[in-house]
Amino acid sequence: MQLFGIPNCNTVKKARDWLTAHNIAYEFHDFKKNGVTQSLLETWLNQQPWEKLVNRAGMTWRNLSDAEKTAIIDAPSAIKLMLEKSSVIKRPVLVKDGKIICLGFTEAVYKELL
């Protein structure tokens, strides 16, 4: 299993703590250090709509200009944004066998899935 995110995100910290406390093995992929590739984003967008992958409630989105926000109209424009500003990706992204099993972290959802 892989957990994608950034280490200083509180939601990512909660997910990592929960996985560790429940002895669930995972590999952490730090967007800031390891980046994200177009092919990975395309794979994810085959599983989830771009509207769910782009975190429009976070600070990165809020700090975009209105012109930048209105330019995100489809998957290709969302990919371009996520490649430029990986912090705009909803996190954490929990992946098992190449498939997204959860976006974000909610303890109840993790309990149900894992």
Side-chain angles (χ1 to χ4, degrees):
M1 216 167 359
Q2 292 178 295
L3 187 75
F4 293 81
I6 56 177
N8 63 339
C9 170
N10 288 334
T11 308
V12 171
K13 287 178 189 176
K14 289 176 189 176
R16 293 179 79 181
D17 290 346
W18 191 92
L19 291 168
T20 300
H22 290 84
N23 297 315
I24 297 172
Y26 69 95
E27 173 189 332
F28 181 65
H29 181 99
D30 182 344
F31 287 144
K32 294 292 185 188
K33 287 185 182 175
N34 306 113
V36 62
T37 64
Q38 181 163 341
S39 63
L40 178 64
L41 293 173
E42 288 170 352
T43 298
W44 288 355
L45 287 170
N46 285 328
Q47 300 170 44
Q48 295 285 334
W50 70 265
E51 294 90 346
K52 287 190 176 185
L53 280 171
V54 173
N55 180 6
R56 291 179 283 178
M59 286 303 298
T60 303
W61 178 264
R62 285 184 269 175
N63 288 332
L64 295 175
S65 69
D66 288 341
E68 289 172 307
K69 290 176 187 175
T70 57
I72 310 306
I73 57 169
D74 55 16
S77 58
I79 287 173
K80 184 176 184 284
L81 174 65
M82 290 185 281
L83 288 170
E84 291 171 2
K85 300 179 186 290
S86 60
S87 295
V88 79
I89 300 170
K90 175 83 173 171
R91 53 189 186 267
V93 180
L94 186 61
V95 175
K96 184 175 182 181
D97 300 323
K99 300 214 183 304
I100 294 174
I101 60 172
C102 190
L103 288 173
F105 172 75
T106 305
E107 186 173 346
V109 173
Y110 269 45
K111 279 182 185 177
E112 182 181 320
L113 292 172
L114 305 170

